Amino acid sequence: DAGVTQSPTHLIKTRGQQVTLRCSPISGHKSVSWYQQVLGQGPQFIFQYYEKEERGRGNFPDRFSARQFPNYSSELNVNALLLGDSALYLCASSLAPTSGSYNEQFFGPGTRLTVL
Amino acid sequence: AQSVSQHNHHVILSEAASLELGCNYSYGGTVNLFWYVQYPGQHLQLLLKYFSGDPLVKGIKGFEAEFIKSKFSFNLRKPSVQWSDTAEYFCAVNAWNNDMRFGAGTRLTVKP
């Protein structure tokens, strides 16, 4: 079975541009979460979606947005890119929302975003 | 909001040495606790998890962790490390709001 897939693998953008990152969850998983991992730090939670609805949001500015499609895949959009947005963006999928449940998250390989 | 602290930034051990990585969290309610590992060039993988029940949980590759509620701790242990355990280890806490918080990570280097 395929794991969580993310595209593209690498991306280079300039300040002020917009970027869209894509994630396909494991088959049967209905929840997708997005994380930002800056070099030398742990992943920081951005969003969680379940059944196309936002179920959790981390402390990120409104420049960050996401959505989930009927096939449970997801996109993360970042507008007006800043140098500080350079990071590895991770997608994780689970059967259902992770709070108070026995669902574990499975992570994809990430998209490396570089903002120049 | 919950937070996670990992005490060691970089740990260097020789093969066969015992390992203990510290993890403390701050959150007063019910939490789910995790340890993830990231081997060089690979993505995050789940080592073990605690949801409820026996506070001593066993994971893959001989790792275990003990949840001590009174100390808000979830330390990772392995009796005898191998060179292949060289990786970055992350402790994570998940509370009621789907907000999974990760620690900064501990880089483990095992010398052959």
Side-chain angles (χ1 to χ4, degrees):
Chain A
D1 281 346
V4 177
T5 59
Q6 293 186 243
S7 62
T9 305
H10 295 89
L11 206 50
I12 298 175
K13 292 285 189 178
T14 56
R15 280 180 295 175
Q17 286 189 310
Q18 176 264 341
V19 68
T20 298
L21 311 180
R22 295 176 176 83
C23 170
S24 292
I26 291 171
S27 178
H29 285 193
K30 298 182 177 181
S31 182
V32 169
S33 298
W34 286 96
Y35 294 85
Q36 180 195 67
Q37 186 176 17
V38 173
L39 198 61
Q41 296 182 20
Q44 301 275 318
F45 173 73
I46 309 175
F47 290 109
Q48 183 172 98
Y49 276 77
Y50 175 67
E51 294 280 14
K52 297 181 290 181
E53 291 189 4
E54 183 182 301
R55 291 299 191 96
R57 173 185 284 255
N59 189 24
F60 279 80
D62 291 343
R63 299 184 296 108
F64 288 77
S65 64
R67 56 180 175 169
Q68 186 177 33
F69 299 98
N71 66 353
Y72 305 111
S73 66
S74 177
E75 285 182 353
L76 175 70
N77 295 286
V78 187
N79 293 323
L81 285 167
L82 303 174
L83 295 179
D85 295 331
S86 294
L88 181 68
Y89 287 84
L90 298 169
C91 174
S93 76
S94 56
L95 287 167
T98 52
S99 64
S101 68
Y102 289 78
N103 290 296
E104 64 180 83
Q105 295 187 330
F106 294 83
F107 283 83
T111 293
R112 174 74 62 188
L113 172 65
T114 302
V115 182
L116 302 176
Chain B
Q2 67 267 30
S3 66
V4 181
S5 297
Q6 291 186 239
H7 312 301
N8 312 101
H9 181 64
H10 189 192
V11 172
I12 302 173
L13 296 173
S14 298
E15 275 194 314
S18 65
L19 170 72
E20 180 159 3
L21 301 183
C23 173
N24 284 90
Y25 67 94
S26 66
Y27 185 71
T30 301
V31 293
N32 300 326
L33 299 159
F34 306 84
W35 276 97
Y36 282 87
V37 61
Q38 191 166 31
Y39 297 103
Q42 297 186 27
H43 54 270
L44 279 167
Q45 301 172 40
L46 183 68
L47 264 183
L48 47 77
K49 62 195 178 202
Y50 173 80
F51 291 114
S52 64
D54 189 345
L56 184 62
V57 292
K58 296 191 183 297
I60 61 172
K61 304 186 181 186
F63 286 91
E64 65 178 31
E66 184 176 13
F67 169 50
I68 303 180
K69 190 174 181 179
S70 60
K71 294 185 178 180
F72 297 91
S73 70
F74 190 55
N75 292 353
L76 181 71
R77 299 194 292 249
K78 185 171 184 179
S80 176
V81 295
Q82 300 173 319
W83 176 79
S84 58
D85 293 325
T86 294
E88 185 117 25
Y89 293 81
F90 294 94
C91 179
V93 174
N94 191 20
W96 61 272
N97 57 354
N98 294 320
D99 183 346
M100 178 89 94
R101 296 292 177 107
F102 282 79
T106 296
R107 185 155 61 100
L108 172 65
T109 301
V110 180
K111 298 184 294 184

